[in-house]
Amino acid sequence: MNNHVTVLEIDGKALEHNLNYFKKKLHPNTKTLAVVKAFGYGSDGVQVASFLQDKVDYFAVAYTHEGVALREAGIETPILVLHPQVQNFDQLVANRLEPSIYSFKTLTAFLAYADEALLMNYPVHLKFNTGLNRLGLWHNDIPLILSKLQESKHVKVESIFSHLAASEDHDEKEFTINQINNFAYIVKKIYEHLGYEPMIHILNTSGIVNYPQAQFDMVRLGIGLYGFGNDEKETSQLKNTHVLKSVISQIHMIEPGETVGYNRAFVSKGFSKTATIPIGHADGISRRLGNEKGYVTLHGQKAPIIGNVCMDMIMIDITKIDCKEGDEVYIFKNQQDILHMAEEAETISYEILTAISQRVKRILTS
Ligand SMILES: *Cc1c(COP(=O)(O)O)cnc(C)c1O
């Protein structure tokens, strides 16, 4: 059992608050898909999905094995696999996971598989590229795709979807509207010839905020669920879901001129007091946060990370903080802490959350 003192607490009440915040922006009939890829944005995909299973209509994961983990935990909700690989089709189907068909190659491969496995009306999702140029079927291939689908009773298109490239960026409004219009055109073409009308969806979190008119049948909620909106004002209305905490392992009294950590990166100007915390770059604390770029919080006060971040530890300056060994330390407690880390590490909140390594114990509180 992992009795590590460094713990990531996942706040179930905050997840629910955030889900409801976005649901209020949607029509009552719009379905919600919760994106729980990458361990639920670095939290715990299984615990988050277990907690949300009766509150959302769909889950999405990136890879097949992530979906298998949800099924093994007894989750029955439909699960969309955004990036399935041909070699995992057996596992995918055995676990009733629904593939995103993102290329003509994956379409033919899955149809051949479905034929061989004698599947009937197996749910698949057609993903179209409308400008992100990452994964997606090409609109020029619509006639080919349709003829393939019309030949087959093995699959049923459950949904048609696309992904926006810059839904958070107000300077890219024209581009985004164009993506939405192209998507609507693709859907129209397919609806005309397929013989039935699958669900359609294109919005991620910032899409829900900026383009609610394009919510169609379902939205795919990721980062918003975990407490981050498009801007500070919106984020302040969301609740933080990830709380990363640890304890002081040891305190040192440092003389003037002494140094702390590898390569003697911190040189003490006067008498100072430092604390060593059992979390390091192997746990997802970027080395860029060393040398007073990052901070942790203890007894309500901020203590800078001094010297270089080690693999398993950081040292902090607690000269002015009344504390003792064993005291609790927050690596981050709220969105401001996470956003500060992201800025200092020259990245975005998504990466700070997903970087928290599997060595850190997860606890969901609800
Ligand atoms: C990750 C992902 C999302 C969620 O995006 P957020 O910005 O986190 O809401 C939605 N759709 C697809 C295809 C994704 O890959």
Side-chain angles (χ1 to χ4, degrees):
M1 218 184 103
N2 177 358
N3 273 329
H4 195 33
V5 292
T6 301
V7 172
L8 177 68
E9 282 179 357
I10 311 149
D11 186 337
K13 287 210 175 65
L15 282 169
E16 196 168 351
H17 167 92
N18 298 339
L19 175 64
N20 290 334
Y21 173 87
F22 288 98
K23 275 191 172 174
K24 280 200 196 96
K25 293 182 182 284
L26 302 171
H27 302 136
N29 294 334
T30 305
K31 291 186 158 80
T32 41
L33 173 154
V35 182
V36 295
K37 63 192 178 192
F39 303 104
Y41 287 47
S43 60
D44 183 316
V46 168
Q47 290 195 61
V48 167
S50 303
F51 179 74
L52 293 176
Q53 60 186 327
D54 52 355
K55 302 173 183 71
V56 299
D57 302 282
Y58 250 92
F59 288 118
V61 292
Y63 301 112
T64 303
H65 68 92
E66 297 179 302
V68 173
L70 302 191
R71 286 287 182 249
E72 282 173 352
I75 290 158
E76 292 293 324
T77 314
I79 301 170
L80 164 61
V81 179
L82 294 165
H83 200 169
Q85 323 277 325
V86 174
Q87 54 271 40
N88 301 134
F89 284 166
D90 269 325
Q91 229 189 352
L92 183 116
V93 169
N95 288 278
R96 290 168 291 116
L97 304 172
E98 305 178 10
S100 159
I101 301 294
Y102 59 82
S103 65
F104 197 68
K105 192 159 178 268
T106 45
L107 176 65
T108 38
F110 195 76
L111 287 175
Y113 178 85
D115 185 30
E116 189 134 312
L118 304 172
L119 304 179
M120 280 298 288
N121 292 325
Y122 196 85
V124 300
H125 302 258
L126 301 183
K127 182 178 199 187
F128 279 89
N129 177 24
T130 52
L132 181 60
N133 291 323
R134 188 175 68 175
L135 290 180
L137 294 156
W138 275 91
H139 63 94
N140 320 42
D141 286 338
I142 291 175
L144 262 175
I145 294 162
L146 279 167
S147 70
K148 281 272 175 197
L149 288 170
Q150 282 154 346
E151 281 167 20
S152 174
K153 293 209 171 351
H154 301 299
V155 302
K156 174 161 178 280
V157 180
E158 198 64 30
S159 85
I160 306 166
F161 74 110
S162 187
H163 195 36
L164 297 173
S167 57
E168 72 279 23
D169 192 344
H170 294 286
D171 295 334
E172 296 293 355
K173 206 164 182 159
E174 199 184 317
F175 180 87
T176 306
I177 302 261
N178 205 34
Q179 266 196 288
I180 294 168
N181 291 342
N182 288 342
F183 177 61
Y185 176 79
I186 288 165
V187 169
K188 184 168 162 276
K189 284 277 146 218
I190 295 180
Y191 274 13
E192 274 169 17
H193 298 101
L194 189 66
Y196 56 96
E197 301 192 346
M199 287 196 292
I200 59 178
H201 46 109
I202 193 169
L203 300 182
N204 67 333
T205 299
S206 26
I208 299 170
V209 177
N210 291 334
Y211 305 93
Q213 73 278 13
Q215 62 190 266
F216 300 116
D217 299 315
M218 186 159 80
V219 296
R220 303 187 303 271
L221 185 60
I223 196 75
L225 192 54
Y226 306 99
F228 291 87
N230 257 352
D231 51 38
E232 251 172 70
K233 190 163 156 266
E234 183 145 64
T235 297
S236 73
Q237 301 195 57
L238 298 170
K239 289 191 176 155
N240 187 43
T241 55
H242 290 52
V243 173
L244 184 56
K245 60 186 204 181
S246 191
V247 296
I248 296 178
S249 292
Q250 192 179 14
I251 290 176
H252 291 281
M253 308 306 276
I254 310 285
E255 309 257 333
E258 271 195 273
T259 62
V260 176
Y262 284 133
N263 304 105
R264 309 187 66 202
F266 175 82
V267 185
S268 187
K269 290 201 188 72
F271 289 94
S272 54
K273 191 169 62 157
T274 68
T276 304
I277 315 297
I279 188 165
H281 62 73
D283 301 292
I285 306 302
S286 169
R287 266 186 106 252
R288 293 183 184 207
L289 296 171
N291 301 311
E292 284 125 284
K293 294 282 193 325
Y295 64 80
V296 302
T297 306
L298 64 160
H299 296 283
Q301 287 168 274
K302 287 179 181 162
I305 299 173
I306 54 171
N308 287 317
V309 170
C310 310
M311 186 184 293
D312 314 303
M313 281 164 266
I314 52 173
M315 278 72 89
I316 59 172
D317 184 354
I318 51 161
T319 307
K320 295 191 182 115
I321 302 175
D322 185 18
C323 58
K324 57 184 191 309
E325 291 173 355
D327 281 2
E328 196 167 64
V329 173
Y330 289 95
I331 317 304
F332 50 73
K333 196 174 186 173
N334 53 44
Q335 294 107 314
Q336 286 69 41
D337 294 340
I338 296 166
L339 290 169
H340 178 268
M341 274 179 89
E343 193 177 315
E344 293 297 339
E346 290 174 55
T347 183
I348 55 175
S349 57
Y350 295 69
E351 189 179 347
I352 298 295
L353 300 182
T354 56
I356 306 163
S357 84
Q358 291 301 302
R359 183 164 72 174
V360 175
K361 182 175 161 182
R362 269 72 172 163
I363 298 172
L364 186 134
T365 58
S366 57

mmCIF file of all heavy atoms in Angstrom, residues 78-115:
data_model
loop_
_atom_site.group_PDB
_atom_site.id
_atom_site.type_symbol
_atom_site.label_atom_id
_atom_site.label_comp_id
_atom_site.label_asym_id
_atom_site.label_seq_id
_atom_site.Cartn_x
_atom_site.Cartn_y
_atom_site.Cartn_z
ATOM 1 N N PRO A 78 -21.316 4.956 -21.206
ATOM 2 C CA PRO A 78 -20.597 4.865 -22.493
ATOM 3 C C PRO A 78 -19.257 5.608 -22.435
ATOM 4 O O PRO A 78 -19.161 6.673 -21.828
ATOM 5 C CB PRO A 78 -21.547 5.547 -23.477
ATOM 6 C CG PRO A 78 -22.890 5.526 -22.841
ATOM 7 C CD PRO A 78 -22.661 5.519 -21.357
ATOM 8 N N ILE A 79 -18.248 5.008 -23.055
ATOM 9 C CA ILE A 79 -16.902 5.603 -23.044
ATOM 10 C C ILE A 79 -16.373 5.747 -24.468
ATOM 11 O O ILE A 79 -16.248 4.759 -25.198
ATOM 12 C CB ILE A 79 -15.907 4.751 -22.213
ATOM 13 C CG1 ILE A 79 -16.391 4.616 -20.764
ATOM 14 C CG2 ILE A 79 -14.502 5.352 -22.255
ATOM 15 C CD1 ILE A 79 -15.607 3.595 -19.935
ATOM 16 N N LEU A 80 -16.091 6.984 -24.844
ATOM 17 C CA LEU A 80 -15.501 7.278 -26.142
ATOM 18 C C LEU A 80 -13.976 7.249 -26.019
ATOM 19 O O LEU A 80 -13.411 7.906 -25.137
ATOM 20 C CB LEU A 80 -15.985 8.674 -26.597
ATOM 21 C CG LEU A 80 -15.249 9.390 -27.727
ATOM 22 C CD1 LEU A 80 -15.283 8.595 -29.029
ATOM 23 C CD2 LEU A 80 -15.878 10.775 -27.970
ATOM 24 N N VAL A 81 -13.332 6.468 -26.885
ATOM 25 C CA VAL A 81 -11.861 6.420 -26.911
ATOM 26 C C VAL A 81 -11.394 7.311 -28.062
ATOM 27 O O VAL A 81 -11.637 7.006 -29.231
ATOM 28 C CB VAL A 81 -11.345 4.974 -27.077
ATOM 29 C CG1 VAL A 81 -9.817 4.966 -27.124
ATOM 30 C CG2 VAL A 81 -11.856 4.092 -25.944
ATOM 31 N N LEU A 82 -10.758 8.416 -27.713
ATOM 32 C CA LEU A 82 -10.429 9.439 -28.714
ATOM 33 C C LEU A 82 -9.331 9.014 -29.679
ATOM 34 O O LEU A 82 -9.282 9.469 -30.808
ATOM 35 C CB LEU A 82 -9.999 10.734 -28.003
ATOM 36 C CG LEU A 82 -11.105 11.423 -27.183
ATOM 37 C CD1 LEU A 82 -10.499 12.465 -26.248
ATOM 38 C CD2 LEU A 82 -12.149 12.060 -28.091
ATOM 39 N N HIS A 83 -8.445 8.159 -29.224
ATOM 40 C CA HIS A 83 -7.284 7.836 -30.064
ATOM 41 C C HIS A 83 -6.981 6.333 -30.014
ATOM 42 O O HIS A 83 -5.911 5.920 -29.561
ATOM 43 C CB HIS A 83 -6.085 8.661 -29.546
ATOM 44 C CG HIS A 83 -4.986 8.802 -30.537
ATOM 45 N ND1 HIS A 83 -3.942 9.665 -30.353
ATOM 46 C CD2 HIS A 83 -4.751 8.187 -31.710
ATOM 47 C CE1 HIS A 83 -3.110 9.568 -31.381
ATOM 48 N NE2 HIS A 83 -3.577 8.678 -32.215
ATOM 49 N N PRO A 84 -7.921 5.522 -30.477
ATOM 50 C CA PRO A 84 -7.701 4.082 -30.412
ATOM 51 C C PRO A 84 -6.636 3.639 -31.421
ATOM 52 O O PRO A 84 -6.406 4.326 -32.408
ATOM 53 C CB PRO A 84 -9.065 3.508 -30.805
ATOM 54 C CG PRO A 84 -9.682 4.558 -31.659
ATOM 55 C CD PRO A 84 -9.175 5.879 -31.156
ATOM 56 N N GLN A 85 -5.997 2.538 -31.129
ATOM 57 C CA GLN A 85 -4.993 2.000 -32.038
ATOM 58 C C GLN A 85 -5.516 0.648 -32.536
ATOM 59 O O GLN A 85 -6.160 -0.084 -31.789
ATOM 60 C CB GLN A 85 -3.660 1.787 -31.308
ATOM 61 C CG GLN A 85 -3.321 2.844 -30.270
ATOM 62 C CD GLN A 85 -2.684 4.097 -30.865
ATOM 63 O OE1 GLN A 85 -1.928 3.998 -31.819
ATOM 64 N NE2 GLN A 85 -3.004 5.246 -30.309
ATOM 65 N N VAL A 86 -5.199 0.358 -33.804
ATOM 66 C CA VAL A 86 -5.704 -0.859 -34.440
ATOM 67 C C VAL A 86 -5.366 -2.109 -33.614
ATOM 68 O O VAL A 86 -6.194 -3.003 -33.449
ATOM 69 C CB VAL A 86 -5.145 -0.981 -35.876
ATOM 70 C CG1 VAL A 86 -5.544 -2.307 -36.511
ATOM 71 C CG2 VAL A 86 -5.648 0.176 -36.732
ATOM 72 N N GLN A 87 -4.167 -2.143 -33.043
ATOM 73 C CA GLN A 87 -3.760 -3.348 -32.294
ATOM 74 C C GLN A 87 -4.543 -3.534 -30.996
ATOM 75 O O GLN A 87 -4.420 -4.564 -30.340
ATOM 76 C CB GLN A 87 -2.238 -3.382 -32.056
ATOM 77 C CG GLN A 87 -1.646 -2.166 -31.405
ATOM 78 C CD GLN A 87 -1.217 -1.107 -32.417
ATOM 79 O OE1 GLN A 87 -1.906 -0.859 -33.403
ATOM 80 N NE2 GLN A 87 -0.088 -0.490 -32.196
ATOM 81 N N ASN A 88 -5.364 -2.543 -30.603
ATOM 82 C CA ASN A 88 -6.146 -2.664 -29.373
ATOM 83 C C ASN A 88 -7.638 -2.931 -29.622
ATOM 84 O O ASN A 88 -8.432 -2.888 -28.687
ATOM 85 C CB ASN A 88 -6.044 -1.374 -28.525
ATOM 86 C CG ASN A 88 -4.616 -1.057 -28.132
ATOM 87 O OD1 ASN A 88 -4.190 0.078 -28.252
ATOM 88 N ND2 ASN A 88 -3.883 -2.056 -27.686
ATOM 89 N N PHE A 89 -8.033 -3.181 -30.861
ATOM 90 C CA PHE A 89 -9.467 -3.346 -31.152
ATOM 91 C C PHE A 89 -10.107 -4.463 -30.319
ATOM 92 O O PHE A 89 -11.233 -4.327 -29.869
ATOM 93 C CB PHE A 89 -9.702 -3.584 -32.644
ATOM 94 C CG PHE A 89 -9.586 -2.341 -33.498
ATOM 95 C CD1 PHE A 89 -9.490 -2.445 -34.880
ATOM 96 C CD2 PHE A 89 -9.574 -1.067 -32.920
ATOM 97 C CE1 PHE A 89 -9.387 -1.293 -35.682
ATOM 98 C CE2 PHE A 89 -9.470 0.084 -33.708
ATOM 99 C CZ PHE A 89 -9.377 -0.044 -35.100
ATOM 100 N N ASP A 90 -9.365 -5.575 -30.113
ATOM 101 C CA ASP A 90 -9.898 -6.680 -29.306
ATOM 102 C C ASP A 90 -10.290 -6.211 -27.917
ATOM 103 O O ASP A 90 -11.395 -6.456 -27.437
ATOM 104 C CB ASP A 90 -8.825 -7.774 -29.129
ATOM 105 C CG ASP A 90 -8.908 -8.816 -30.235
ATOM 106 O OD1 ASP A 90 -10.043 -9.100 -30.679
ATOM 107 O OD2 ASP A 90 -7.840 -9.336 -30.644
ATOM 108 N N GLN A 91 -9.338 -5.523 -27.295
ATOM 109 C CA GLN A 91 -9.522 -5.020 -25.941
ATOM 110 C C GLN A 91 -10.643 -3.981 -25.896
ATOM 111 O O GLN A 91 -11.455 -3.963 -24.969
ATOM 112 C CB GLN A 91 -8.216 -4.336 -25.535
ATOM 113 C CG GLN A 91 -7.687 -4.746 -24.203
ATOM 114 C CD GLN A 91 -6.531 -3.855 -23.791
ATOM 115 O OE1 GLN A 91 -6.030 -3.025 -24.554
ATOM 116 N NE2 GLN A 91 -6.105 -4.025 -22.557
ATOM 117 N N LEU A 92 -10.657 -3.162 -26.927
ATOM 118 C CA LEU A 92 -11.666 -2.106 -27.029
ATOM 119 C C LEU A 92 -13.069 -2.710 -27.045
ATOM 120 O O LEU A 92 -13.941 -2.341 -26.245
ATOM 121 C CB LEU A 92 -11.382 -1.307 -28.301
ATOM 122 C CG LEU A 92 -12.262 -0.106 -28.601
ATOM 123 C CD1 LEU A 92 -11.425 1.165 -28.582
ATOM 124 C CD2 LEU A 92 -12.929 -0.224 -29.948
ATOM 125 N N VAL A 93 -13.258 -3.673 -27.923
ATOM 126 C CA VAL A 93 -14.584 -4.276 -28.080
ATOM 127 C C VAL A 93 -14.954 -5.124 -26.863
ATOM 128 O O VAL A 93 -16.086 -5.081 -26.384
ATOM 129 C CB VAL A 93 -14.650 -5.090 -29.397
ATOM 130 C CG1 VAL A 93 -15.912 -5.942 -29.462
ATOM 131 C CG2 VAL A 93 -14.586 -4.140 -30.590
ATOM 132 N N ALA A 94 -13.975 -5.865 -26.337
ATOM 133 C CA ALA A 94 -14.248 -6.704 -25.163
ATOM 134 C C ALA A 94 -14.736 -5.859 -23.986
ATOM 135 O O ALA A 94 -15.452 -6.343 -23.113
ATOM 136 C CB ALA A 94 -12.990 -7.473 -24.772
ATOM 137 N N ASN A 95 -14.354 -4.579 -23.988
ATOM 138 C CA ASN A 95 -14.735 -3.693 -22.888
ATOM 139 C C ASN A 95 -15.834 -2.690 -23.270
ATOM 140 O O ASN A 95 -16.063 -1.724 -22.558
ATOM 141 C CB ASN A 95 -13.505 -2.949 -22.363
ATOM 142 C CG ASN A 95 -12.579 -3.867 -21.592
ATOM 143 O OD1 ASN A 95 -12.810 -4.122 -20.422
ATOM 144 N ND2 ASN A 95 -11.565 -4.401 -22.250
ATOM 145 N N ARG A 96 -16.485 -2.959 -24.386
ATOM 146 C CA ARG A 96 -17.557 -2.087 -24.871
ATOM 147 C C ARG A 96 -17.131 -0.619 -24.925
ATOM 148 O O ARG A 96 -17.880 0.283 -24.560
ATOM 149 C CB ARG A 96 -18.821 -2.233 -23.997
ATOM 150 C CG ARG A 96 -19.527 -3.586 -24.160
ATOM 151 C CD ARG A 96 -20.574 -3.798 -23.085
ATOM 152 N NE ARG A 96 -19.926 -3.989 -21.806
ATOM 153 C CZ ARG A 96 -20.048 -3.173 -20.759
ATOM 154 N NH1 ARG A 96 -20.797 -2.110 -20.834
ATOM 155 N NH2 ARG A 96 -19.394 -3.421 -19.640
ATOM 156 N N LEU A 97 -15.918 -0.386 -25.379
ATOM 157 C CA LEU A 97 -15.430 0.985 -25.545
ATOM 158 C C LEU A 97 -15.730 1.426 -26.968
ATOM 159 O O LEU A 97 -15.716 0.603 -27.888
ATOM 160 C CB LEU A 97 -13.929 1.042 -25.265
ATOM 161 C CG LEU A 97 -13.511 0.510 -23.896
ATOM 162 C CD1 LEU A 97 -11.991 0.429 -23.795
ATOM 163 C CD2 LEU A 97 -14.072 1.383 -22.777
ATOM 164 N N GLU A 98 -16.018 2.710 -27.141
ATOM 165 C CA GLU A 98 -16.474 3.190 -28.439
ATOM 166 C C GLU A 98 -15.377 3.992 -29.137
ATOM 167 O O GLU A 98 -14.954 5.034 -28.640
ATOM 168 C CB GLU A 98 -17.738 4.040 -28.232
ATOM 169 C CG GLU A 98 -18.816 3.252 -27.476
ATOM 170 C CD GLU A 98 -20.087 4.058 -27.190
ATOM 171 O OE1 GLU A 98 -20.246 5.172 -27.733
ATOM 172 O OE2 GLU A 98 -20.915 3.543 -26.423
ATOM 173 N N PRO A 99 -14.905 3.500 -30.291
ATOM 174 C CA PRO A 99 -13.764 4.150 -30.934
ATOM 175 C C PRO A 99 -14.121 5.433 -31.674
ATOM 176 O O PRO A 99 -15.179 5.531 -32.293
ATOM 177 C CB PRO A 99 -13.285 3.087 -31.927
ATOM 178 C CG PRO A 99 -14.518 2.330 -32.285
ATOM 179 C CD PRO A 99 -15.369 2.319 -31.039
ATOM 180 N N SER A 100 -13.216 6.380 -31.598
ATOM 181 C CA SER A 100 -13.265 7.525 -32.499
ATOM 182 C C SER A 100 -12.637 7.047 -33.794
ATOM 183 O O SER A 100 -11.514 6.538 -33.805
ATOM 184 C CB SER A 100 -12.457 8.679 -31.907
ATOM 185 O OG SER A 100 -12.107 9.580 -32.936
ATOM 186 N N ILE A 101 -13.383 7.183 -34.880
ATOM 187 C CA ILE A 101 -12.853 6.824 -36.197
ATOM 188 C C ILE A 101 -12.318 8.116 -36.789
ATOM 189 O O ILE A 101 -13.079 8.987 -37.194
ATOM 190 C CB ILE A 101 -13.970 6.224 -37.086
ATOM 191 C CG1 ILE A 101 -14.579 4.974 -36.428
ATOM 192 C CG2 ILE A 101 -13.458 5.942 -38.494
ATOM 193 C CD1 ILE A 101 -13.651 3.786 -36.283
ATOM 194 N N TYR A 102 -10.986 8.252 -36.776
ATOM 195 C CA TYR A 102 -10.392 9.555 -37.095
ATOM 196 C C TYR A 102 -9.662 9.596 -38.429
ATOM 197 O O TYR A 102 -9.155 10.639 -38.823
ATOM 198 C CB TYR A 102 -9.456 9.988 -35.968
ATOM 199 C CG TYR A 102 -8.325 9.013 -35.710
ATOM 200 C CD1 TYR A 102 -7.177 9.040 -36.488
ATOM 201 C CD2 TYR A 102 -8.431 8.068 -34.704
ATOM 202 C CE1 TYR A 102 -6.146 8.147 -36.266
ATOM 203 C CE2 TYR A 102 -7.403 7.168 -34.472
ATOM 204 C CZ TYR A 102 -6.266 7.215 -35.253
ATOM 205 O OH TYR A 102 -5.251 6.321 -35.028
ATOM 206 N N SER A 103 -9.604 8.447 -39.122
ATOM 207 C CA SER A 103 -8.962 8.453 -40.442
ATOM 208 C C SER A 103 -9.634 7.383 -41.296
ATOM 209 O O SER A 103 -10.308 6.491 -40.768
ATOM 210 C CB SER A 103 -7.467 8.133 -40.312
ATOM 211 O OG SER A 103 -7.301 6.811 -39.841
ATOM 212 N N PHE A 104 -9.429 7.494 -42.581
ATOM 213 C CA PHE A 104 -10.011 6.483 -43.469
ATOM 214 C C PHE A 104 -9.403 5.114 -43.156
ATOM 215 O O PHE A 104 -10.092 4.090 -43.198
ATOM 216 C CB PHE A 104 -9.773 6.879 -44.934
ATOM 217 C CG PHE A 104 -10.664 6.126 -45.858
ATOM 218 C CD1 PHE A 104 -12.038 6.352 -45.862
ATOM 219 C CD2 PHE A 104 -10.148 5.157 -46.699
ATOM 220 C CE1 PHE A 104 -12.881 5.613 -46.683
ATOM 221 C CE2 PHE A 104 -10.982 4.420 -47.525
ATOM 222 C CZ PHE A 104 -12.352 4.655 -47.519
ATOM 223 N N LYS A 105 -8.146 5.126 -42.763
ATOM 224 C CA LYS A 105 -7.466 3.880 -42.408
ATOM 225 C C LYS A 105 -8.101 3.231 -41.170
ATOM 226 O O LYS A 105 -8.333 2.016 -41.154
ATOM 227 C CB LYS A 105 -5.981 4.188 -42.155
ATOM 228 C CG LYS A 105 -5.099 2.981 -42.064
ATOM 229 C CD LYS A 105 -3.643 3.361 -42.340
ATOM 230 C CE LYS A 105 -2.748 2.154 -42.193
ATOM 231 N NZ LYS A 105 -2.201 2.005 -40.848
ATOM 232 N N THR A 106 -8.387 4.037 -40.143
ATOM 233 C CA THR A 106 -9.023 3.440 -38.952
ATOM 234 C C THR A 106 -10.428 2.965 -39.290
ATOM 235 O O THR A 106 -10.905 1.984 -38.732
ATOM 236 C CB THR A 106 -9.102 4.396 -37.727
ATOM 237 O OG1 THR A 106 -9.534 5.671 -38.136
ATOM 238 C CG2 THR A 106 -7.813 4.488 -36.976
ATOM 239 N N LEU A 107 -11.103 3.660 -40.214
ATOM 240 C CA LEU A 107 -12.449 3.229 -40.604
ATOM 241 C C LEU A 107 -12.393 1.849 -41.260
ATOM 242 O O LEU A 107 -13.114 0.932 -40.843
ATOM 243 C CB LEU A 107 -13.097 4.247 -41.554
ATOM 244 C CG LEU A 107 -14.468 3.849 -42.105
ATOM 245 C CD1 LEU A 107 -15.518 3.774 -40.991
ATOM 246 C CD2 LEU A 107 -14.942 4.821 -43.194
ATOM 247 N N THR A 108 -11.530 1.699 -42.262
ATOM 248 C CA THR A 108 -11.478 0.399 -42.950
ATOM 249 C C THR A 108 -10.985 -0.698 -42.006
ATOM 250 O O THR A 108 -11.512 -1.813 -42.018
ATOM 251 C CB THR A 108 -10.589 0.443 -44.217
ATOM 252 O OG1 THR A 108 -9.476 1.266 -43.943
ATOM 253 C CG2 THR A 108 -11.313 0.995 -45.396
ATOM 254 N N ALA A 109 -10.016 -0.355 -41.156
ATOM 255 C CA ALA A 109 -9.504 -1.361 -40.211
ATOM 256 C C ALA A 109 -10.602 -1.780 -39.239
ATOM 257 O O ALA A 109 -10.770 -2.970 -38.948
ATOM 258 C CB ALA A 109 -8.301 -0.811 -39.454
ATOM 259 N N PHE A 110 -11.367 -0.824 -38.742
ATOM 260 C CA PHE A 110 -12.401 -1.200 -37.771
ATOM 261 C C PHE A 110 -13.541 -1.960 -38.449
ATOM 262 O O PHE A 110 -14.069 -2.921 -37.883
ATOM 263 C CB PHE A 110 -12.945 0.004 -36.988
ATOM 264 C CG PHE A 110 -13.730 -0.436 -35.774
ATOM 265 C CD1 PHE A 110 -13.071 -0.901 -34.642
ATOM 266 C CD2 PHE A 110 -15.121 -0.466 -35.790
ATOM 267 C CE1 PHE A 110 -13.776 -1.377 -33.541
ATOM 268 C CE2 PHE A 110 -15.835 -0.939 -34.686
ATOM 269 C CZ PHE A 110 -15.153 -1.391 -33.562
ATOM 270 N N LEU A 111 -13.881 -1.566 -39.677
ATOM 271 C CA LEU A 111 -14.940 -2.303 -40.390
ATOM 272 C C LEU A 111 -14.512 -3.743 -40.656
ATOM 273 O O LEU A 111 -15.310 -4.676 -40.495
ATOM 274 C CB LEU A 111 -15.305 -1.592 -41.696
ATOM 275 C CG LEU A 111 -16.109 -0.295 -41.528
ATOM 276 C CD1 LEU A 111 -16.308 0.385 -42.874
ATOM 277 C CD2 LEU A 111 -17.449 -0.538 -40.843
ATOM 278 N N ALA A 112 -13.261 -3.934 -41.032
ATOM 279 C CA ALA A 112 -12.756 -5.287 -41.271
ATOM 280 C C ALA A 112 -12.784 -6.092 -39.977
ATOM 281 O O ALA A 112 -13.205 -7.251 -39.947
ATOM 282 C CB ALA A 112 -11.333 -5.222 -41.826
ATOM 283 N N TYR A 113 -12.381 -5.441 -38.892
ATOM 284 C CA TYR A 113 -12.394 -6.107 -37.590
ATOM 285 C C TYR A 113 -13.825 -6.494 -37.199
ATOM 286 O O TYR A 113 -14.098 -7.623 -36.766
ATOM 287 C CB TYR A 113 -11.774 -5.194 -36.513
ATOM 288 C CG TYR A 113 -11.807 -5.831 -35.158
ATOM 289 C CD1 TYR A 113 -10.803 -6.705 -34.745
ATOM 290 C CD2 TYR A 113 -12.895 -5.621 -34.304
ATOM 291 C CE1 TYR A 113 -10.863 -7.343 -33.522
ATOM 292 C CE2 TYR A 113 -12.964 -6.243 -33.077
ATOM 293 C CZ TYR A 113 -11.949 -7.107 -32.689
ATOM 294 O OH TYR A 113 -12.015 -7.737 -31.486
ATOM 295 N N ALA A 114 -14.739 -5.541 -37.380
ATOM 296 C CA ALA A 114 -16.139 -5.747 -36.990
ATOM 297 C C ALA A 114 -16.779 -6.870 -37.806
ATOM 298 O O ALA A 114 -17.591 -7.649 -37.300
ATOM 299 C CB ALA A 114 -16.922 -4.450 -37.167
ATOM 300 N N ASP A 115 -16.360 -6.952 -39.068
ATOM 301 C CA ASP A 115 -16.860 -7.999 -39.952
ATOM 302 C C ASP A 115 -16.405 -9.366 -39.431
ATOM 303 O O ASP A 115 -17.204 -10.283 -39.227
ATOM 304 C CB ASP A 115 -16.314 -7.736 -41.363
ATOM 305 C CG ASP A 115 -16.877 -8.708 -42.395
ATOM 306 O OD1 ASP A 115 -18.022 -9.163 -42.208
ATOM 307 O OD2 ASP A 115 -16.171 -9.009 -43.366
#
